[in-house]
Amino acid sequence: MAQLIRIYEDNPSPKELQRIAKAMKDGALIIYPTDTVYGLGCDINHKGALEKVAKIRGVKLEKANFSFICESLSDLSEYVSQIDTATFKILKRNLPGPYTFILPGNNNLPSVFKKKKTVGIRVPDNSIAIGLVQALGNPIISTSIKDDDEVIEYTTDPSLIVEKWNHLVDYVIDGGYGDNVASTVIDLTGNEPVLIREGKGSVEL
């Protein structure tokens, strides 16, 4: 049974963030707010939790295109190969923000992702998401939660989210109504930025 926890974005409770982060260290799955849609996430270093997220999404873990939710650009060197100045300027100009940037991965990726050559990096402009990463001490693996509704692609109401995901996750963080537009996804692994998906973030970089 999922536990619904109300956390206010303008003043997130450090105590609650620490409690959830501790549970994530032990393998808990969470649904939490970002600056776009609500995300399903877990500790990047807990293989059992990663496997559960992959199973929920119906994909093989080693092939899953999950995002790494990072606290800031300073986290990039941990998982991303050296990038050029132009790429860094794009990142610095647009993060934190509603973007997922595809970047070249390095050898420090968690063992389950060792075969992947790229990694999707997010630094959301949301104090709850960033506070969770800070409390956890490392990135969160994340994927957007989809809705079965043909009109509304993403569930925005936390009370409906907990109703639907009650038996699949351990915590649902109620940070207020979410957005219904996902992040803009841009591939920065080549010579020029390539738009993969247009979302909330402007494509004018």
Side-chain angles (χ1 to χ4, degrees):
M1 299 284 284
Q3 187 175 345
L4 182 64
I5 299 177
R6 181 77 166 108
I7 296 180
Y8 296 91
E9 188 188 349
D10 56 355
N11 188 24
S13 165
K15 185 178 177 181
E16 293 287 26
L17 293 176
Q18 286 288 351
R19 181 160 73 96
I20 296 166
K22 186 176 183 299
M24 291 172 73
K25 288 286 186 188
D26 293 332
L29 302 192
I30 68 166
I31 291 177
Y32 67 102
T34 71
D35 54 352
T36 56
V37 299
Y38 270 80
L40 165 65
C42 70
D43 186 340
I44 194 175
N45 294 316
H46 198 292
K47 187 178 179 183
L50 291 169
E51 287 172 342
K52 286 181 185 177
V53 173
K55 185 176 181 181
I56 289 171
R57 297 299 283 150
V59 295
K60 288 187 176 181
L61 180 55
E62 61 272 17
K63 294 185 178 179
N65 291 319
F66 297 143
S67 299
F68 285 30
I69 305 296
C70 297
E71 179 184 347
S72 68
L73 285 179
S74 61
D75 293 339
L76 293 191
S77 59
E78 185 74 24
Y79 305 103
V80 173
S81 296
Q82 191 168 0
I83 54 177
D84 60 29
T85 303
T87 300
F88 183 78
K89 283 182 177 178
I90 290 174
L91 297 173
K92 191 167 185 180
R93 199 161 54 239
N94 293 284
L95 296 176
Y99 293 90
T100 301
F101 287 110
I102 310 299
L103 297 164
N106 65 21
N107 293 328
N108 291 332
L109 291 175
S111 57
V112 293
F113 301 123
K114 285 294 185 189
K115 293 182 180 178
K116 292 185 74 65
K117 290 182 169 55
T118 61
V119 59
I121 296 291
R122 280 216 68 199
V123 183
D125 187 13
N126 179 284
S127 58
I128 297 172
I130 297 301
L132 279 170
V133 175
Q134 290 172 338
L136 192 61
N138 53 255
I140 296 171
I141 278 289
S142 187
T143 180
S144 301
I145 60 168
K146 297 273 190 171
D147 199 291
D148 297 328
D149 192 293
E150 292 181 5
V151 178
I152 302 171
E153 189 174 1
Y154 301 98
T155 310
T156 61
D157 184 340
S159 62
L160 295 179
I161 291 172
V162 77
E163 195 176 292
K164 178 180 177 183
W165 291 81
N166 197 24
H167 298 289
L168 292 172
V169 301
D170 302 287
Y171 294 94
V172 174
I173 299 175
D174 178 357
Y177 278 87
D179 208 323
N180 193 36
V181 182
S183 63
T184 292
V185 181
I186 295 176
D187 188 335
L188 295 179
T189 59
N191 294 327
E192 296 290 335
V194 176
L195 178 65
I196 305 297
R197 177 184 73 196
E198 185 172 355
K200 188 175 178 180
S202 169
V203 297
E204 298 296 322
L205 297 178

